[in-house]
PDB file of all heavy atoms in Angstrom:
ATOM      1  N   HIS C  70      35.736 -34.085 -39.057  1.00  0.00           N
ATOM      2  CA  HIS C  70      36.575 -34.570 -38.090  1.00  0.00           C
ATOM      3  C   HIS C  70      35.758 -34.872 -36.853  1.00  0.00           C
ATOM      4  O   HIS C  70      36.094 -34.342 -35.811  1.00  0.00           O
ATOM      5  CB  HIS C  70      37.647 -33.494 -37.793  1.00  0.00           C
ATOM      6  CG  HIS C  70      38.403 -33.014 -38.946  1.00  0.00           C
ATOM      7  ND1 HIS C  70      39.752 -33.209 -39.274  1.00  0.00           N
ATOM      8  CD2 HIS C  70      37.942 -32.070 -39.875  1.00  0.00           C
ATOM      9  CE1 HIS C  70      40.028 -32.572 -40.313  1.00  0.00           C
ATOM     10  NE2 HIS C  70      39.088 -31.907 -40.774  1.00  0.00           N
ATOM     11  N   ARG C  77      37.255 -26.653 -27.897  1.00  0.00           N
ATOM     12  CA  ARG C  77      38.333 -25.680 -27.946  1.00  0.00           C
ATOM     13  C   ARG C  77      37.540 -24.271 -27.665  1.00  0.00           C
ATOM     14  O   ARG C  77      38.039 -23.317 -28.288  1.00  0.00           O
ATOM     15  CB  ARG C  77      39.139 -25.756 -29.186  1.00  0.00           C
ATOM     16  CG  ARG C  77      39.883 -27.115 -29.406  1.00  0.00           C
ATOM     17  CD  ARG C  77      41.275 -26.977 -29.541  1.00  0.00           C
ATOM     18  NE  ARG C  77      41.709 -26.310 -30.854  1.00  0.00           N
ATOM     19  CZ  ARG C  77      41.658 -27.017 -31.942  1.00  0.00           C
ATOM     20  NH1 ARG C  77      41.368 -28.365 -32.097  1.00  0.00           N
ATOM     21  NH2 ARG C  77      42.105 -26.375 -33.062  1.00  0.00           N
ATOM     22  N   TYR C  90      44.726 -18.084 -35.038  1.00  0.00           N
ATOM     23  CA  TYR C  90      44.791 -19.532 -35.142  1.00  0.00           C
ATOM     24  C   TYR C  90      46.100 -20.002 -35.140  1.00  0.00           C
ATOM     25  O   TYR C  90      46.513 -20.963 -34.427  1.00  0.00           O
ATOM     26  CB  TYR C  90      43.911 -20.050 -36.220  1.00  0.00           C
ATOM     27  CG  TYR C  90      43.716 -21.487 -36.430  1.00  0.00           C
ATOM     28  CD1 TYR C  90      42.936 -22.188 -35.560  1.00  0.00           C
ATOM     29  CD2 TYR C  90      44.504 -22.152 -37.415  1.00  0.00           C
ATOM     30  CE1 TYR C  90      42.850 -23.631 -35.766  1.00  0.00           C
ATOM     31  CE2 TYR C  90      44.411 -23.578 -37.590  1.00  0.00           C
ATOM     32  CZ  TYR C  90      43.595 -24.208 -36.672  1.00  0.00           C
ATOM     33  OH  TYR C  90      43.431 -25.610 -36.891  1.00  0.00           O
ATOM     34  N   ILE C 100      45.341 -27.950 -32.987  1.00  0.00           N
ATOM     35  CA  ILE C 100      45.145 -29.437 -33.231  1.00  0.00           C
ATOM     36  C   ILE C 100      45.811 -30.293 -32.140  1.00  0.00           C
ATOM     37  O   ILE C 100      45.228 -31.217 -31.684  1.00  0.00           O
ATOM     38  CB  ILE C 100      45.789 -29.906 -34.538  1.00  0.00           C
ATOM     39  CG1 ILE C 100      44.883 -29.097 -35.624  1.00  0.00           C
ATOM     40  CG2 ILE C 100      45.715 -31.302 -34.796  1.00  0.00           C
ATOM     41  CD1 ILE C 100      45.400 -29.181 -37.109  1.00  0.00           C
ATOM     42  N   TYR C 140      43.711 -36.793 -34.862  1.00  0.00           N
ATOM     43  CA  TYR C 140      43.942 -36.238 -33.535  1.00  0.00           C
ATOM     44  C   TYR C 140      44.648 -37.225 -32.672  1.00  0.00           C
ATOM     45  O   TYR C 140      44.724 -36.960 -31.485  1.00  0.00           O
ATOM     46  CB  TYR C 140      42.635 -35.795 -32.925  1.00  0.00           C
ATOM     47  CG  TYR C 140      42.000 -34.550 -33.559  1.00  0.00           C
ATOM     48  CD1 TYR C 140      40.734 -34.748 -34.196  1.00  0.00           C
ATOM     49  CD2 TYR C 140      42.619 -33.266 -33.595  1.00  0.00           C
ATOM     50  CE1 TYR C 140      40.163 -33.724 -34.743  1.00  0.00           C
ATOM     51  CE2 TYR C 140      42.032 -32.306 -34.264  1.00  0.00           C
ATOM     52  CZ  TYR C 140      40.822 -32.498 -34.820  1.00  0.00           C
ATOM     53  OH  TYR C 140      40.217 -31.337 -35.424  1.00  0.00           O
ATOM     54  N   HIS C 173      48.091 -34.568 -40.048  1.00  0.00           N
ATOM     55  CA  HIS C 173      47.186 -33.486 -39.676  1.00  0.00           C
ATOM     56  C   HIS C 173      48.023 -32.432 -39.057  1.00  0.00           C
ATOM     57  O   HIS C 173      47.883 -31.194 -39.335  1.00  0.00           O
ATOM     58  CB  HIS C 173      45.947 -33.926 -38.864  1.00  0.00           C
ATOM     59  CG  HIS C 173      44.908 -33.017 -38.674  1.00  0.00           C
ATOM     60  ND1 HIS C 173      44.061 -33.004 -37.685  1.00  0.00           N
ATOM     61  CD2 HIS C 173      44.566 -31.915 -39.469  1.00  0.00           C
ATOM     62  CE1 HIS C 173      42.997 -32.118 -37.869  1.00  0.00           C
ATOM     63  NE2 HIS C 173      43.406 -31.407 -38.929  1.00  0.00           N
ATOM     64  N   PHE C 210      47.247 -32.486 -44.250  1.00  0.00           N
ATOM     65  CA  PHE C 210      47.146 -30.992 -44.139  1.00  0.00           C
ATOM     66  C   PHE C 210      48.220 -30.295 -44.742  1.00  0.00           C
ATOM     67  O   PHE C 210      49.320 -30.216 -44.107  1.00  0.00           O
ATOM     68  CB  PHE C 210      46.969 -30.677 -42.648  1.00  0.00           C
ATOM     69  CG  PHE C 210      46.560 -29.149 -42.391  1.00  0.00           C
ATOM     70  CD1 PHE C 210      45.924 -28.409 -43.243  1.00  0.00           C
ATOM     71  CD2 PHE C 210      46.894 -28.631 -41.222  1.00  0.00           C
ATOM     72  CE1 PHE C 210      45.500 -27.119 -43.014  1.00  0.00           C
ATOM     73  CE2 PHE C 210      46.613 -27.254 -40.932  1.00  0.00           C
ATOM     74  CZ  PHE C 210      45.871 -26.558 -41.791  1.00  0.00           C
ATOM     75  N   HIS C 238      43.720 -31.458 -47.674  1.00  0.00           N
ATOM     76  CA  HIS C 238      43.392 -30.086 -47.248  1.00  0.00           C
ATOM     77  C   HIS C 238      44.420 -29.243 -47.870  1.00  0.00           C
ATOM     78  O   HIS C 238      45.456 -29.219 -47.605  1.00  0.00           O
ATOM     79  CB  HIS C 238      43.658 -30.146 -45.736  1.00  0.00           C
ATOM     80  CG  HIS C 238      42.642 -30.651 -44.821  1.00  0.00           C
ATOM     81  ND1 HIS C 238      42.380 -32.033 -44.722  1.00  0.00           N
ATOM     82  CD2 HIS C 238      41.637 -30.084 -43.926  1.00  0.00           C
ATOM     83  CE1 HIS C 238      41.348 -32.285 -43.865  1.00  0.00           C
ATOM     84  NE2 HIS C 238      41.018 -31.072 -43.433  1.00  0.00           N
ATOM     85  N   GLN C 241      44.094 -23.789 -47.683  1.00  0.00           N
ATOM     86  CA  GLN C 241      43.123 -23.185 -46.853  1.00  0.00           C
ATOM     87  C   GLN C 241      43.570 -21.772 -46.245  1.00  0.00           C
ATOM     88  O   GLN C 241      42.758 -20.855 -46.154  1.00  0.00           O
ATOM     89  CB  GLN C 241      42.980 -24.105 -45.531  1.00  0.00           C
ATOM     90  CG  GLN C 241      41.986 -23.616 -44.459  1.00  0.00           C
ATOM     91  CD  GLN C 241      41.837 -24.455 -43.307  1.00  0.00           C
ATOM     92  OE1 GLN C 241      42.554 -25.520 -43.121  1.00  0.00           O
ATOM     93  NE2 GLN C 241      40.923 -24.047 -42.453  1.00  0.00           N
ATOM     94  N   HIS C 261      38.798 -27.063 -48.953  1.00  0.00           N
ATOM     95  CA  HIS C 261      38.989 -25.675 -48.428  1.00  0.00           C
ATOM     96  C   HIS C 261      39.231 -24.738 -49.680  1.00  0.00           C
ATOM     97  O   HIS C 261      38.266 -24.117 -50.159  1.00  0.00           O
ATOM     98  CB  HIS C 261      40.155 -25.516 -47.493  1.00  0.00           C
ATOM     99  CG  HIS C 261      39.943 -26.113 -46.160  1.00  0.00           C
ATOM    100  ND1 HIS C 261      39.018 -25.517 -45.258  1.00  0.00           N
ATOM    101  CD2 HIS C 261      40.365 -27.210 -45.517  1.00  0.00           C
ATOM    102  CE1 HIS C 261      38.971 -26.244 -44.136  1.00  0.00           C
ATOM    103  NE2 HIS C 261      39.809 -27.314 -44.285  1.00  0.00           N
ATOM    104  N   ASP C 313      32.980 -29.913 -42.327  1.00  0.00           N
ATOM    105  CA  ASP C 313      34.369 -29.828 -41.664  1.00  0.00           C
ATOM    106  C   ASP C 313      34.245 -29.949 -40.121  1.00  0.00           C
ATOM    107  O   ASP C 313      35.177 -29.470 -39.528  1.00  0.00           O
ATOM    108  CB  ASP C 313      35.141 -28.528 -42.106  1.00  0.00           C
ATOM    109  CG  ASP C 313      36.546 -28.670 -41.788  1.00  0.00           C
ATOM    110  OD1 ASP C 313      37.202 -29.742 -41.682  1.00  0.00           O
ATOM    111  OD2 ASP C 313      37.236 -27.582 -41.762  1.00  0.00           O
ATOM    112  N   ASN C 315      34.712 -29.900 -36.715  1.00  0.00           N
ATOM    113  CA  ASN C 315      35.989 -30.174 -35.908  1.00  0.00           C
ATOM    114  C   ASN C 315      35.956 -29.060 -34.820  1.00  0.00           C
ATOM    115  O   ASN C 315      35.356 -28.065 -34.926  1.00  0.00           O
ATOM    116  CB  ASN C 315      37.276 -30.109 -36.846  1.00  0.00           C
ATOM    117  CG  ASN C 315      37.543 -28.590 -37.177  1.00  0.00           C
ATOM    118  OD1 ASN C 315      38.046 -27.822 -36.283  1.00  0.00           O
ATOM    119  ND2 ASN C 315      37.425 -28.169 -38.433  1.00  0.00           N
ATOM    120  N   PRO C 316      36.678 -29.286 -33.779  1.00  0.00           N
ATOM    121  CA  PRO C 316      36.574 -28.454 -32.661  1.00  0.00           C
ATOM    122  C   PRO C 316      37.338 -27.126 -32.754  1.00  0.00           C
ATOM    123  O   PRO C 316      37.142 -26.235 -31.897  1.00  0.00           O
ATOM    124  CB  PRO C 316      37.241 -29.271 -31.414  1.00  0.00           C
ATOM    125  CG  PRO C 316      38.149 -30.218 -32.133  1.00  0.00           C
ATOM    126  CD  PRO C 316      37.536 -30.531 -33.445  1.00  0.00           C
ATOM    127  N   GLY C 317      38.211 -27.039 -33.753  1.00  0.00           N
ATOM    128  CA  GLY C 317      39.045 -25.786 -33.798  1.00  0.00           C
ATOM    129  C   GLY C 317      38.485 -24.747 -34.801  1.00  0.00           C
ATOM    130  O   GLY C 317      38.476 -23.532 -34.516  1.00  0.00           O
ATOM    131  N   THR C 318      38.173 -25.200 -35.949  1.00  0.00           N
ATOM    132  CA  THR C 318      37.858 -24.188 -37.060  1.00  0.00           C
ATOM    133  C   THR C 318      36.423 -24.276 -37.551  1.00  0.00           C
ATOM    134  O   THR C 318      36.006 -23.427 -38.349  1.00  0.00           O
ATOM    135  CB  THR C 318      38.740 -24.346 -38.282  1.00  0.00           C
ATOM    136  OG1 THR C 318      38.578 -25.640 -38.912  1.00  0.00           O
ATOM    137  CG2 THR C 318      40.226 -24.171 -37.901  1.00  0.00           C
TER     138      THR C 318
HETATM  139  N1  DI6 O   1      42.007 -27.619 -41.461  1.00  0.00           N
HETATM  140  C1  DI6 O   1      40.971 -27.346 -40.686  1.00  0.00           C
HETATM  141  O1  DI6 O   1      40.144 -26.435 -40.868  1.00  0.00           O
HETATM  142  C2  DI6 O   1      40.931 -28.374 -39.625  1.00  0.00           C
HETATM  143  N2  DI6 O   1      42.019 -29.250 -39.903  1.00  0.00           N
HETATM  144  C3  DI6 O   1      42.520 -28.762 -41.034  1.00  0.00           C
HETATM  145  O2  DI6 O   1      43.479 -29.309 -41.531  1.00  0.00           O
HETATM  146  C4  DI6 O   1      41.251 -27.826 -38.268  1.00  0.00           C
HETATM  147  C5  DI6 O   1      41.279 -28.868 -37.188  1.00  0.00           C
HETATM  148  C6  DI6 O   1      41.494 -28.186 -35.775  1.00  0.00           C
HETATM  149  O3  DI6 O   1      41.784 -27.017 -35.663  1.00  0.00           O
HETATM  150  O4  DI6 O   1      41.309 -29.011 -34.832  1.00  0.00           O
END
Side-chain angles (χ1 to χ4, degrees):
H70 309 252
R77 303 236 290 280
Y90 181 74
I100 293 171
Y140 293 118
H173 192 197
F210 186 30
H238 282 71
Q241 178 182 8
H261 287 287
D313 196 16
N315 78 72
T318 64

